[in-house]
């Protein structure tokens, strides 16, 4: 008798059937897939999906999902009929801005291992003869992209999963998720039948939000309609294809006007995102039956009219054609455009895999199967985890506005630092009013307003010493940037600066079981004295870096964890469930933090306090409760910019007063306020890692250069067995420090790195190093790229020479930070 868990998958579309296939391939044979619609076309998004699979994405994970989808669908057929037609993909540029962006995308492709090249107009027309060559400046050709026959793939996947024991049931609507003691026990159908289950996975697409509500889980997605038409037959396509082939031309994207195209035998299919966002309310959708698909809404011709005119200009063959059929197809959109993967925080065993398009379907299903069977995914899912959002980002108002904005911007050229236009000012620190008075330029992250520089410091640019003068930048790297950042870095290194560190997640772990919990979850010793601060790692079972955190011991049973975001909070809350006497709570919103850093930091702080801030009394990586200007604070001797100073915490109610006290005392010392632009430059000069950018669960501590955070005498923590002994091995790859040879080319991140002409890695973080007068980039490279090795970084259409350099670049002996 099988002992594998009983799994119910809700949704028999491309995601649910892929998941059933992946689970049964791993030996889980008690899998039941249910869907409210008839099989195999159940009426969801899969039923009408155009099937375009473009692999290249700014996200490494999304690209890898798509590449796996390509490989898997290529291996499938239904009675000899294809499930994936690898016709290739072509994105064309009709503006110089788009052409430049295609070079950036080619860089992503090469970084993530996808073959791609930017081609000239002649080659574009050779690949796609229907194009008007006069309108095209160039294109990005990806030969391994292609067309998925999603409905046919569902049949193939269903057959294979059924052959391994899976059961598929159509016309079975789930009305209740059964649970006991905080765990899933099954589902109840509209017919009153109970289907037992140890695990329930919702792969219901735009119905996912409704299913999440059955367990009180917030699923931040919005169903939106997207237009798709088929033209009348085109003479130019007549006789090129037959029913078995259907398409030979590459799939085509004309992103300057939010359009894409694919062949349907002698017709073209045209999809557009150029129209107004059209939210679809589930209550307004028709019921599912053989004749009606609720995901296909009536076509609104007036919305398509501008796209039709643009299409006729780009493809002259359409000028004598007409729109034959059209519909408004419903898909899922999220606040940041990423999928939603994860387990309910309240009901163990209830999982979701939602907002997943055909493009990424097999890859996501594989990762979810790995999570369920192995406990971890080979691909880091931090950008896909449903718990990445802060609470305010899951509200109906936020989801509706941001998801619609993502629909509008889906094909736009977006800068890596480009902030949301709205909603803004959702989360502000107690210093916000003062920051505005100082001319702070705010960017947004996790709904926080974060100053990147202060215009009040602009007058100091002329005072910069020659060696601190930043070079002029190209137009791209100059966006959302100011030379004022150089001033703020200079003042931090030579005087003192105030940094708002409030947006960093702070989690309180308390109670008699707090020490045991943190000991079990981290690589460092937590049983240190009260007043200690420890930089440590949290690993997954495979030894990948789940997060890097600071743990401050405020009392025998009281700890403050400086975390990377909501994923850390979710993890700690889950792990604390089984630990008696542990409380975990997010204290970020009720507290605030100012980083006071620079060689004059002690001169600023000590006169304001009767407590001793000398090096002897408060050493590096220690803390103390104190008063500054009469305000109760916790001062932690930490510095992520590599200079003397403290992170000074207080209750939010005292925040503005604390800022004012420090500001006034700092004026005679030349103190300034400094922002994230300077911070990022200074932290790279010190070699400090940024989790999610420089390392993820895909990397172990020794590869990432963080072996020092692993206590060699400690055993038994999560991930210990996976990394035991690794410190004595040479990793195949390393996070490597590079300096750019020409002293002025500032790359942005995700660019491919070439060694001896081959793409061998990619940039993670980059900035101009104002202290050293050179651009800095960190990159994952083979261990053979030792100090002094010359490499090239592809930046748009050119390659920039760089050199592997020893780290840290500034103050390697740590004398400045410990004085």
């Amino acid at each position: 008798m099988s002992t594998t868990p009983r799994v119910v998958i809700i949704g028999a579309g491309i995601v649910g059937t892929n998941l059933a296939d992946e689970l049964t391939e791993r030996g889980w044979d008690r899998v039941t897939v249910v869907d409210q619609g008839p099989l195999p076309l159940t009426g969801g998004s899969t039923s009408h999906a155009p099937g375009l699979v473009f692999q290249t994405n700014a996200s490494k994970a999304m690209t890898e999902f798509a590449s796996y989808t390509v490989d898997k669908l290529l291996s499938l057929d239904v009675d000899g009929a294809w499930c994936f037609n690898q016709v290739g993909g072509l994105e064309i540029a009709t503006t110089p801005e788009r052409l430049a962006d295609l070079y950036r995308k080619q860089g992503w492709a090469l970084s993530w291992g996808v073959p791609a090249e930017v081609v000239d107009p002649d080659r574009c027309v050779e690949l796609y003869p229907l194009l008007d060559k006069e309108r095209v400046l160039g294109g990005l050709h990806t030969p391994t992209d292609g067309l998925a026959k999603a409905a046919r793939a569902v049949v193939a996947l269903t057959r294979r999963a059924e052959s391994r024991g899976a059961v598929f049931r159509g016309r079975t609507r789930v009305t209740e998720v059964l649970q006991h003691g905080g765990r899933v026990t099954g589902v109840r159908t509209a017919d009153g039948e109970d289907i037992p289950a140890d695990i329930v996975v919702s792969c219901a697409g735009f119905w996912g939000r409704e299913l999440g509500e059955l367990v009180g889980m917030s699923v931040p997605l919005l169903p939106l309609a997207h237009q798709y038409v088929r033209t009348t037959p085109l003479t130019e396509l007549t006789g090129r294809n037959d029913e078995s082939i259907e398409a030979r031309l590459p799939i085509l994207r004309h992103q300057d006007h939010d359009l894409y195209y694919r062949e349907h035998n002698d017709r073209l299919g045209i999809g557009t995102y150029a129209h107004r966002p059209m939210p679809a309310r589930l209550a307004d959708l028709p019921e599912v039956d053989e004749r009606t698909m609720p995901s296909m809404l009536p076509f609104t011709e007036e919305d398509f009219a501008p796209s039709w005119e643009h299409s006729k200009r780009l493809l002259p063959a359409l000028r004598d054609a007409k729109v034959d059929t059209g519909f408004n197809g419903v898909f899922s959109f999220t606040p940041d455009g990423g999928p939603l993967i994860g387990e309910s925080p309240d009901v163990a065993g209830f999982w979701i895999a939602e907002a997943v398009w055909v493009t990424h379907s097999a890859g996501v299903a594989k990762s979810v199967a790995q999570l369920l069977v192995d406990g971890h995914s080979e691909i880091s899912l931090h950008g896909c985890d449903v718990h990445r959002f802060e609470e305010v980002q899951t509200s109906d108002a936020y989801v509706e506005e941001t998801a619609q904005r993502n629909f509008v911007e889906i094909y736009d050229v977006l800068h890596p630092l480009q902030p949301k236009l709205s909603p803004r000012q959702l989360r502000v620190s107690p210093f916000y009013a003062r920051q505005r008075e100082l001319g702070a330029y705010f960017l947004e992250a996790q709904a926080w307003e974060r100053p990147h520089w202060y215009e009040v410091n602009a007058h100091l640019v002329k005072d910069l010493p020659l060696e601190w003068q930043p070079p002029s930048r190209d137009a791209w790297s100059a966006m959302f940037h100011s030379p004022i950042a150089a001033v703020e870095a200079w003042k931090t290194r030579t005087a003192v600066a105030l940094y708002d560190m409030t947006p960093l997640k702070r989690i309180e772990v308390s109670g008699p079981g707090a020490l045991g919990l943190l000991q079990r979850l981290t690589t460092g010793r937590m049983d240190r004295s009260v007043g200690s601060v420890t930089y440590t790692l949290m690993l997954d079972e495979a030894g990948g870096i789940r997060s890097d955190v600071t743990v401050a011991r405020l009392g025998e049973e009281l700890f403050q964890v400086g975390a990377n975001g909501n994923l850390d909070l979710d993890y700690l809350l889950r792990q604390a469930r089984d630990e008696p006497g542990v409380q975990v709570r997010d204290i970020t919103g009720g507290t605030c933090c100012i980083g006071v850093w620079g060689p004059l930091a002690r001169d600023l702080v000590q006169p304001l306090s009767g407590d001793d801030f000398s090096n002897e009394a408060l050493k590096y990586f220690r803390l103390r409760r104190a008063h500054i200007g009469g305000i109760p604070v916790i001062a932690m001797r930490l510095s992520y910019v590599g200079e003397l100073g403290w992170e000074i915490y207080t209750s939010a109610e005292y925040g503005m007063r604390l800022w004012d006290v420090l500001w006034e005392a700092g004026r005679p010392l030349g103190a300034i306020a400094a922002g994230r632009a300077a911070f990022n430059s200074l932290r790279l000069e010190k070699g400090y890692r940024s989790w999610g950018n420089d390392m993820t669960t895909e990397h172990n501590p020794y590869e990432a250069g963080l072996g020092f955070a692993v206590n060699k005498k400690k055993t038994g923590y999560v991930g210990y067995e996976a990394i035991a002994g690794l410190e004595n091995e040479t990793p195949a790859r390393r996070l490597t420090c590079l300096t750019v040879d020409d002293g002025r080319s500032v790359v942005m991140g995700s660019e491919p790195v070439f060694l001896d002409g081959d793409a061998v890695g990619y940039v993670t973080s980059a900035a101009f190093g104002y202290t050293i007068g050179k651009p800095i980039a960190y990159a994952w490279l083979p261990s053979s790229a030792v100090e002094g090795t010359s490499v090239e970084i592809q930046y748009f259409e050119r390659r920039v020479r760089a050199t592997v350099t020893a780290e840290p670049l500034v103050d390697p002996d740590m004398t400045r930070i410990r004085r």
Side-chain angles (χ1 to χ4, degrees), residues 738-742 753-754 775 777 788-793 800-805:
L738 305 175
T739 53
V740 176
D741 293 354
D742 70 11
V753 182
F754 293 79
T789 300
S790 181
V791 298
E792 291 181 311
I793 304 171
V800 177
R801 298 198 69 83
T803 301
V804 175
T805 308

Side-chain angles (χ1 to χ4, degrees), residues 522-539:
T522 65
T523 61
R525 269 190 56 206
M526 297 296 106
D527 56 343
R528 300 175 63 199
S529 61
V530 173
S532 65
V533 185
T534 305
Y535 175 80
T536 187
L537 307 175
M538 295 193 295
L539 307 181

Side-chain angles (χ1 to χ4, degrees), residues 567-589:
L567 293 181
D568 293 335
L569 175 63
D570 177 67
Y571 180 62
L572 289 171
L573 285 168
R574 290 175 191 278
Q575 294 296 317
R577 288 176 183 165
D578 300 324
E579 295 278 351
V582 182
Q583 294 81 46
V584 174
R585 68 187 186 105
D586 183 355
I587 61 171
T588 310

Side-chain angles (χ1 to χ4, degrees), residues 162-240:
E162 285 178 329
S163 73
R164 302 179 185 133
V167 175
F168 286 75
R169 297 176 53 177
R171 302 187 182 283
T172 305
R173 185 165 64 90
V174 171
T175 58
E176 186 177 349
V177 175
L178 305 175
Q179 52 187 288
H180 178 73
R183 285 204 63 88
V184 157
T185 60
V187 298
R188 180 165 294 158
T189 72
D191 296 331
E193 178 188 5
D194 291 352
I195 305 175
D198 305 299
I199 296 170
V200 173
V201 187
S202 175
C203 302
F206 57 79
W207 283 288
R209 191 168 180 175
E210 189 176 70
L211 284 163
E213 289 173 356
L214 296 180
V215 297
M217 182 179 182
S218 179
V219 180
L221 65 80
L222 181 69
L224 286 165
H226 154 63
Q227 291 197 307
Y228 190 80
V229 306
R230 293 194 190 198
T231 69
T232 54
L234 304 181
T235 303
E236 290 81 355
L237 298 181
T238 301
R240 283 178 52 94

